[in-house]
Amino acid sequence: PRGTDPTPSRLVACAMAHSHDVRPPPGMRSKEERTPPADAMQRMHLGHTNGNVAEGTLPPGMSEKQPKTEANRRQANVNAYQGMHAMQNQTPPPGWQPQPPPAGPPPPARPPPPVGPPPPPPGPPARNPSSQARTNFAAAADPSGRAPNAATTQQTRTQATFYGNQPPPPPPGAPSYLQQEHTPASTATAASNGQFGAYPSAPGPPMQAPTQRMSPPSGSSSAPPAPPAQVPGVPNQAYPPFNEGGPPSVPTRSEPVSRAPATRRAYHTVTGGSFPGAGSPGDPASAGIRGGYGPSAPGFGMAPPPQAEPQSPSSRIDPAQIPRPSAADADKGTSEAPVLFETRYMGQPNTAVPSASSKYIVRDTGICNPRFIRPTLWQQPATADVLRSSQMPMQLLCTPMAVLPPEDTPVQVVDTGSMGPVRCGRCKAYMCPLMKFTDGGRRFQCAFCGCINDCPMEYMCSLGPTGLRQDVNSRPELLFGSVEFVAPAEYMVRPPMPVVHFFLIDVSHGAIQSGAMQCAVDAIKSSLDDIQGQENAMVGVATFDSSVHFYNLSASLSQPQMLIVPNNEEPFSPQPKNLVVNLSQSRGLVDNLLTALPSMFNQSLNAGCCAGAALVAAVEALKPTGGKLHLFQSSMSSVGKGKLVNRETEGRSGDSMKALLPKDPSYKELAREAAEYQVCIDMYLLVHGYVDIATISSAVRLTGGSLYHYPFFQPAQDKNLVENDLRWNIVRPQALEAVMRVRCSQGLNVESYQGALYQRSPTDIDLPAIDSDKTIAVHLRHDDKLQEDSEAAFQCALLYTSTSGQRRIRVHTLALKTTSALGGLFRGADLEAQLSIMIRSSAVKLPGGDLKVVREQVLKLCTDVLHAYRKHCASTSSSGQLILPEALKLLPLYTLALQKCVGLRQESNSEMRSFWINGVYSIGPTNAIPCVHGRLFALHDLCRYEADDKGLPQSLSLSSEKLDSHGMYLLENGAEAFIWLGKQISPDLLQNVLGISSIEGASSLVLPWLDTTESKAIHKLLDKIRTERRSYMRLHVLRRGDALEVNFFNNMIEDRTSSGMSYVEFLCHLHRQIQNRFNYG
């Protein structure tokens, strides 16, 4: 507020908010007011400490008729500085003479400070929200009411002026860190190189400093400068381009990307006060995250070293200013149309790749869609030492069957006939846009091994004036980064397998009583019409309790024939034929069998469950054809082969991580046998108790299958969920009997693969089935040094059978720039990809490990990356700041969320943890964030959400502080959805949404379909979320005090819980960890 001296931290925050305006914020004096003349300093020494100068008084050496030139102004600053220096040392400056006070009335006194809490500071000027480069925490004022230290206030004022568009010229007698040449040319150069604290509103040419600094009229503040020139086609940005090697490049047209250009500012500064409880008061290591400067290059514009400030124990970090994904969603504009992204831009790989969670449209211009291959680093390190210094992983996340939006460039199908696809003779890489043709088109050089190959006669074509083949526009493999070749006969060992679905249903007494058997039958009946390849699709059905029952569904029979296998210790397939039949020919028998199953076993009292034996027998039945095996199980396998024992008590003991190890190795052996015969196993666990997921999940993971878990199964609530899961499993893009290999250019090599796969050789991986939700992680290593500023090439080749029965080779080619600069490496970091790798690494270490050690290793991974960035890219910044790379500014939040997720939460049981581990083994970048961090929406404000809006309403931060007792909120995490009702919720809202007037007397709450505006809006929002997540998600309606309310608050990542500290405390802790490494190594 005006008339009061703001605290130093508030001055810095105000200066940051007014970075576009050289006018001082409210309560801050202008430059002329802050630099009193020398005679004022003399009067202050004599006792006139009001700091005001009598009207008409001029500094020594300047007459009234002398113009106020820059040299005179500089001389006045020198005199003022010498006077201040002499006053601090209690020694009069040279040439000092006492002067009487000026005649006339005394100057007006400063008005008293206003009573009451100060009003909030004015907001920042309008700017592009997507380009917020720095976040400052405004520390609260000292509650003791003590005035800030004068030297500290003056120091902070000097620092605050450096955030304006034009810094004041330092006096010649100033300290060394301010002794820099101050000319308009140097000002422009420093600002253009990112060394300055100025933040122009748009990237463009270097800022042109005015030829003369004009003083504002007396009594007025500095006039705002003219905005920088707008580059045509470039959106406004709130920060300058950041370039390590010189002045930033100016784009000539709008970049078709959703993020800022590659020359943007590459760091995110977090400042503020300390948090109580984060460390001992007075301990420098526990001083929290203090205000200060971001990194600046040596030279002009470097901030002075921070002075020690008295930190109040009650000072707080402003939680509203820390980085959050909700703010990022608001920046991206979830309701706006997707942006266009070209994979190769102006002949170079486009490094400004949109995030996996944003909305974008991809134009394949020679490099594959990032939905297919997303690296952890969009710029590859040239040497292993550079990679080691960055502490970041170098991996590829390959999703070869990813779902493409209809607007993206589709994968083109290329049929080369009997010739087959053209390949390199040495490394066997497939023809792609990276190959270079030479010798008039008669030869081509491989982009991966560098071998010169002779072009086949059928494929030969002359080159044009530009060096490209004249038929390049008619060759999709030379235009697009993703293509599919029709495989000739030599790529087949046997005829392509048809689409086969075999359904194995639990009909034990427990399954009948719980409704699991009826739910499974209904889901299968509703999904038969959705099976791909209807003309050639084949199906089979079997049931089990303490024995296994097969059914002959031959089209020649009038009704199904049951075949019982009573021996569950050595199960087998009763006959080689007619257990799997053509669906179109035997559709009537299949429908009759599914309709009769509930009545056939309705009176059964057989409580035995031989799920393990049933799996062995079903795999035997599928060996001639291969296919997908769907197991519906409602209780633990208790008899026969694969019998398991209840280890739930082990999961509750101190050695709970040992319960995550498989108990029976027969399931893993069965998985290997199934993978060799191209059998993929999917499991649907409709259970009420323990089934030992840690053991049976190995059969799913090694065959490329999916595991679905429905704990505390309720038919009324989970029926739609089971049906949607089965339907999506059947209709999603998928490849059958596949083999995959990744090739790299010279200097790089594939070290290992990780995911839902079976690997028999070190170079190839076998996939009985791979779908759009499965991602393979490829770990890379350096074999040699890469050439600087060249391109590193990668190619993922997938030989598979399509659902139409055709053998194809899907090829994805990726090219990445190489660099030896760590700054470029951090700018090219992919947050979602690195988070996915972090989640996978923690899941691998959990079985048989120590939960506490795994949680500490997760924190260490985050600390290593941020410490490496601070050490190598921001070493000149203040030690009181937490410096975050712009591309990884949300990494601390997601690290904390990972520590609080189901897999690493202390109170999770072994079943929940095992299910989480199996799911994240094949997690991709798109699902990495929802796996650990959900989204919160205010349903009571949904009336503002337009009915025809293409996006989603803005999400809230996951903190209980955002919850209002009068509100209604929706929380979703990709697996479950919760509707939380406040205790004082409006009865009208309850009536319009739930159809009740009060929540006190209701025994259970459900979300009905009502013909009201609020109900329609909520259901529409749920449908959009489920479509985006590709999961129906179980919905829980909760009120205060419900048993499942703890699951709702476990998703409040930013709150302090039993699983970890709050988000603000975690930032302070993370900052201390980085400081300790600098202090103690």
Side-chain angles (χ1 to χ4, degrees), residues 31-50:
K31 182 175 73 66
E32 285 71 18
E33 294 173 326
R34 289 197 308 273
T35 310
D39 59 345
M41 300 302 304
Q42 297 171 1
R43 289 196 303 274
M44 292 173 64
H45 188 69
L46 288 175
H48 301 277
T49 57
N50 53 14

Side-chain angles (χ1 to χ4, degrees), residues 56 91 103 405 412 434 506 543 649 671 727 788 800 816 840 947 973:
T91 302
Q412 305 292 326
L434 302 182
D506 187 354
T543 57
T649 55
R727 180 179 291 107
E788 181 73 16
Y800 74 102
L816 301 175
R840 287 168 177 255
N973 56 14

